Amino acid sequence: MPPFPEAARIALANTQLRTNLAHATATIRDKRARVVAEVDDWEELRTAGAATKDRVLLDLDTHLVRLEESLIRAGATVHWARDAEEACRIVADVAKAHHVDEVVKVKSMATQEIGLNEALAQEGISAWETDLAELIVQLGDDLPSHILVPAIHRNRAEIREIFLAGMARAGRPAPEGLDDEPAHLAEAARLHLREKFLRAEVAVSGANFAVAETGTLVVVESEGNGRMCLTLPQVLVSVVGIEKVVPTWADLDVFLQLLPRSSTGERMNPFTSTWTGVTPGDGPQEVHVVLLDNGRTRALADEVGRQALRCIRCSACLNVCPVYERTGGHAYGSVYPGPIGAILNPLLRGVGVDDQVDSLPYASSLCGACYDVCPVKIDIPSVLVDLRAQVVDAHRGGVPRPEAVAMKAAAATFRRPGLLRAAERLTRPGLAVVRRVGASAWTGARDLPPAPKESFRAWWKRTDGGRS
Amino acid sequence: MNAREEILGRVRAALEGAPPPPVVEPRSVVEPRAVVEQGAQRPISRDHSATDLVDLFAERVADYTATVHRCTADEVEAVLTELLGDRTTVVPPGFDRAVPHPVEDTGLTPTELDGIDAVVTMATLGIAETGTIVLTHGPGQGRRALSLVPDLHVCVVREDQVVPGVPDAVTALDPTRPQTWISGPSATSDIELDRVEGVHGPRTLRVVLVAGDA
Ligand code: SF4
């Protein structure tokens, strides 16, 4: 993958992509704003969500051990995976133990992150994505471009082509005379996938939440493909990032309010499934849970960055990001695009190793909109600035990059909450701080814009995002 | 070292010198209200009178294009007959109302279920604010596959099962039971953000909301 600036330049030239994205992000943004406004204690919910996640993260070993105990008590088998390879191996072993050559999958960021489909293919096991958008991406040999709507870069005509060409190769062919009406395309997917659901013996999922107290896993979805995978096959393997744990069942009330409203802009998503180990006579009778590290402990060790592990993958930050809106998800070179991707990838993978990863903390205008919408209050701008300093440090040794001095100074500012608040993120006083701490080396190479009269967020509030 | 020990070790190392975990403050509340299901008592953030609550529930369910049919306990069977018509309907054990063309669940396979037109179930509770029904798959609700595979789901909810909000539902529900929270029919917006109903699960949801003793 080329570093972000190059990838972004290519994406910017794709007008179809930009049009689709602008439409999608604006639509979801509006829906979200409407349903968030209905909740009078939204700010309290955000605070509670952030605090609950921090409570888990700052005592993660305790909660993980508790989760493991509860899962085992409920009849599940618990596995631990240090990295992607180990996680993929565990899933492949379960599939092989049941002599299957295919599994059905619920859309899951964790399994995409570890490249599970490719790893299973190596073992001769086909992993079928069952989320409509993921199916479009998979049949089109493509990459997802958004966390919530991964195929948003495709229009209906392209999707029809993908179905006509791809479905036959993967199972039931697309119906004769398929046109590009969304309802007909969805019907084609229903028929194609139902065949797979009905015969599948092993399913793979992720989880949105894992309750330490009870061992309950939760999957939130819209289409019902999740319910199909979680219910019909006799064997279920769930790959769960270690940061997904919440302490108690009661804590879910906060997240089940925050997530759907932030994500799809609905009061509640169509389907939420919860299951606790094995229920005799109902659903899978063999349940595996793979607890996945794959860089999460690295992120946890980063004092400023560990808050990124609070993320509940709602994708709200993507939809408000002016950089994401113009470049789309592919430019980030990762399954985690947008503002959260710009911090999560360097945190999970470390800086100074890969130029593409190192370019991500610069993929932002630091406008702060992502922080304002984040349901668990992740201060993405501060983490970005801190990571920029880390990137600069990692490349020390040769001639310092022009960003070096200014970014380190800015990071120091961002680390100190008092100063940070005063600085109001590179607005008038913010820029003044950057100038004072020595941005001349930086401005020598870049244009430091004149300070705007008000902060982006203030402007956004005043004009309702430019609509009034 | 095995993976478990190593990951837990990394977690502990990562947290060395970290601040203590925050104490999570209970959120402020407007007016305490008793939760109907299981008599659990817990303050919640919003205040609704009982009738408001049921109206709100009906309104919010309808917002998802899931039709709501309100009736009294005596009228339930007539409503079911009308809604189900000529369809074959799988009836879970413990569902004690008559339906026109019942199919008993004798451990039907997914493929057999796929050949049945409709399913009828009860619910454990309804959530007014979000228009959600929750199944916990006990008597009258059936195992999870029943309410999933057929194309039409008719769900009977009693008015006294409606709770105000998500916190009330979470308090009232038993986490050890499998749960399905349903808010409208299956839907997707994956194609140009055009909403299409019914990709998988039931494409049509009808909620029969029963007043009085059911
Ligand atoms: S960072 Fe926040 S806004 Fe972005 S996806 Fe995660 S939870 Fe949502």
Side-chain angles (χ1 to χ4, degrees):
Chain A
M1 207 46 208
F4 185 82
E6 282 158 48
R9 209 167 300 126
I10 300 165
L12 281 170
N14 183 341
T15 40
Q16 174 80 60
L17 171 92
R18 293 186 57 185
T19 315
N20 289 7
L21 268 175
H23 170 63
T25 52
T27 309
I28 304 172
R29 228 161 40 214
D30 287 354
K31 282 178 72 186
R32 179 195 163 277
R34 260 199 311 276
V35 294
V36 162
E38 275 178 20
V39 181
D40 20 316
D41 56 351
W42 185 254
E43 284 311 310
E44 286 180 27
L45 283 173
R46 288 178 76 209
T47 306
T52 304
K53 282 282 186 175
D54 278 349
R55 182 150 70 95
V56 167
L57 292 171
L58 293 171
D59 195 9
L60 188 58
D61 48 328
T62 312
H63 291 284
L64 285 173
V65 169
R66 195 153 174 232
L67 174 66
E68 182 188 39
E69 281 167 12
S70 315
L71 281 166
I72 293 171
R73 206 183 319 123
T77 306
V78 179
H79 311 260
W80 299 72
R82 282 166 278 216
D83 53 27
E85 203 189 323
E86 195 164 24
C88 291
R89 162 115 328 271
I90 295 164
V91 180
D93 285 348
V94 173
K96 282 184 185 167
H98 292 275
H99 311 290
V100 296
D101 59 4
E102 63 171 11
V103 300
V104 286
K105 279 190 67 205
V106 191
K107 173 169 176 267
S108 129
M109 302 305 293
T111 58
Q112 280 178 26
E113 174 193 321
I114 61 174
L116 181 65
N117 296 5
E118 296 74 17
L120 289 177
Q122 296 268 311
E123 309 267 352
I125 301 164
S126 309
W128 304 117
E129 293 293 348
T130 63
D131 172 79
L132 177 55
E134 292 292 348
L135 177 74
I136 296 167
V137 169
Q138 186 176 40
L139 293 179
D141 260 329
D142 195 2
L143 290 166
S145 61
H146 189 283
I147 294 178
L148 175 72
V149 277
I152 200 63
H153 57 290
R154 296 292 199 178
N155 61 33
R156 59 185 75 189
E158 292 174 304
I159 295 169
R160 174 176 172 270
E161 292 301 322
I162 290 169
F163 279 7
L164 287 174
M167 277 185 174
R169 263 186 283 125
R172 180 175 175 146
E176 295 273 325
L178 178 67
D179 61 20
D180 64 5
E181 187 56 39
H184 300 157
L185 294 168
E187 173 73 19
R190 179 181 175 100
L191 295 171
H192 177 81
L193 287 169
R194 189 155 280 224
E195 186 190 79
K196 295 201 163 94
F197 289 132
L198 295 180
R199 68 165 186 242
E201 292 167 50
V202 177
V204 178
S205 82
N208 293 91
F209 308 101
V211 182
E213 173 193 41
T214 57
T216 306
L217 299 189
V218 182
V219 163
V220 170
E221 53 137 354
S222 295
E223 292 175 12
N225 64 306
R227 292 175 67 193
M228 290 278 182
C229 293
L230 299 169
T231 306
L232 299 184
Q234 283 302 296
V235 181
L236 172 62
V237 191
S238 305
V239 180
V240 182
I242 53 173
E243 83 286 12
K244 294 284 173 185
V245 53
V246 297
T248 67
W249 170 256
D251 290 314
L252 283 179
D253 95 55
V254 172
F255 297 107
L256 290 179
Q257 292 180 79
L258 287 172
L259 180 54
R261 288 183 203 257
S262 300
S263 182
T264 51
E266 294 164 298
R267 296 185 183 113
M268 191 57 89
N269 48 289
F271 302 126
T272 298
S273 299
T274 78
W275 71 101
T276 305
V278 174
T279 306
D282 186 353
Q285 297 300 296
E286 186 180 320
V287 169
H288 297 263
V289 179
V290 183
L291 297 174
L292 175 73
D293 181 348
N294 204 33
R296 284 156 178 77
T297 47
R298 180 205 293 274
L300 187 67
D302 188 305
E303 256 174 72
V304 182
R306 70 166 61 104
Q307 56 182 308
L309 295 176
R310 289 185 210 146
C311 176
I312 55 174
R313 314 275 189 260
C314 72
S315 77
C317 57
L318 276 59
N319 299 329
V320 296
C321 178
V323 176
Y324 174 85
E325 184 173 312
R326 284 163 183 78
T327 63
H330 291 157
Y332 294 79
S334 150
V335 298
Y336 304 111
I340 182 62
I343 61 172
L344 199 57
N345 292 301
L347 286 165
L348 293 176
R349 296 172 57 192
V351 297
V353 198
D354 180 322
D355 276 351
Q356 197 274 329
V357 172
D358 286 357
S359 70
L360 291 177
Y362 293 93
S364 166
S365 62
L366 299 182
C367 70
C370 49
Y371 180 33
D372 288 340
V373 294
C374 178
V376 285
K377 286 191 167 172
I378 301 171
D379 186 353
I380 296 176
S382 295
V383 181
L384 282 167
V385 172
D386 188 67
L387 284 169
R388 287 181 185 185
Q390 291 186 27
V391 169
V392 168
D393 275 347
H395 288 278
R396 205 168 291 284
V399 185
R401 293 189 175 191
E403 295 96 330
V405 186
M407 278 307 155
K408 265 200 83 88
T413 312
F414 276 96
R415 261 187 224 267
R416 305 214 313 265
L419 247 188
L420 170 64
R421 231 166 284 126
E424 248 286 82
R425 295 209 176 73
L426 304 194
T427 57
R428 188 178 276 281
L431 280 172
V433 170
V434 174
R435 287 182 205 281
R436 196 173 61 239
V437 295
S440 56
W442 190 48
T443 45
R446 318 239 160 154
D447 266 352
L448 195 56
K453 285 194 190 59
E454 60 184 337
S455 76
F456 179 82
R457 282 180 293 164
W459 170 84
W460 185 274
K461 283 219 174 78
R462 181 173 58 80
T463 63
D464 188 20
R467 276 183 292 276
S468 58
Chain B
M1 212 185 326
N2 69 27
R4 179 185 190 275
E5 293 315 312
E6 194 167 332
I7 293 170
L8 289 172
R10 288 181 194 169
V11 168
R12 288 177 192 126
L15 292 175
E16 217 156 316
V23 177
V24 177
E25 301 285 340
R27 277 165 298 135
S28 70
V29 292
V30 180
E31 178 109 337
R33 183 178 183 282
V35 175
V36 181
E37 165 94 359
Q38 296 170 8
Q41 296 274 333
R42 189 173 169 217
I44 59 132
S45 52
R46 295 159 198 89
D47 181 30
H48 301 286
S49 73
T51 32
D52 273 2
L53 209 60
V54 175
D55 290 345
L56 184 66
F57 174 71
E59 200 178 289
R60 297 259 153 118
V61 171
D63 266 3
Y64 298 117
T65 66
T67 339
V68 183
H69 307 265
R70 300 184 70 160
C71 65
T72 64
D74 296 339
E75 293 161 353
V76 173
E77 283 177 14
V79 172
L80 291 179
T81 303
E82 198 188 313
L83 290 177
L84 294 164
D86 291 338
R87 294 180 180 84
T88 51
T89 302
V90 60
V91 182
F95 187 89
D96 53 7
R97 302 280 185 171
V99 302
H101 305 281
V103 181
E104 200 186 329
D105 177 28
T106 49
L108 301 163
T109 64
T111 308
E112 285 167 336
L113 276 174
D114 194 36
I116 296 171
D117 303 323
V119 57
V120 64
T121 71
M122 324 252 262
T124 298
L125 53 80
I127 307 172
E129 257 168 29
T130 58
T132 303
I133 51 178
V134 182
L135 307 189
T136 55
H137 306 285
Q141 300 177 26
R143 59 200 170 95
R144 282 170 280 173
L146 296 195
S147 46
L148 171 61
V149 182
D151 206 20
L152 165 66
H153 179 194
V154 178
C155 185
V156 180
V157 184
R158 295 194 317 266
E159 287 189 354
D160 68 3
Q161 291 181 309
V162 177
V163 302
V166 172
D168 312 273
V170 169
T171 307
L173 291 164
D174 173 0
T176 64
R177 296 288 315 158
Q179 293 173 19
T180 308
W181 296 39
I182 300 171
S183 309
S186 152
T188 183
S189 299
D190 281 340
I191 303 168
E192 294 182 15
L193 238 56
D194 241 18
R195 186 180 161 100
V196 175
E197 262 158 36
V199 192
H200 309 296
R203 275 184 279 204
T204 310
L205 173 69
R206 304 210 183 279
V207 175
V208 180
L209 187 53
V210 188
D213 302 323

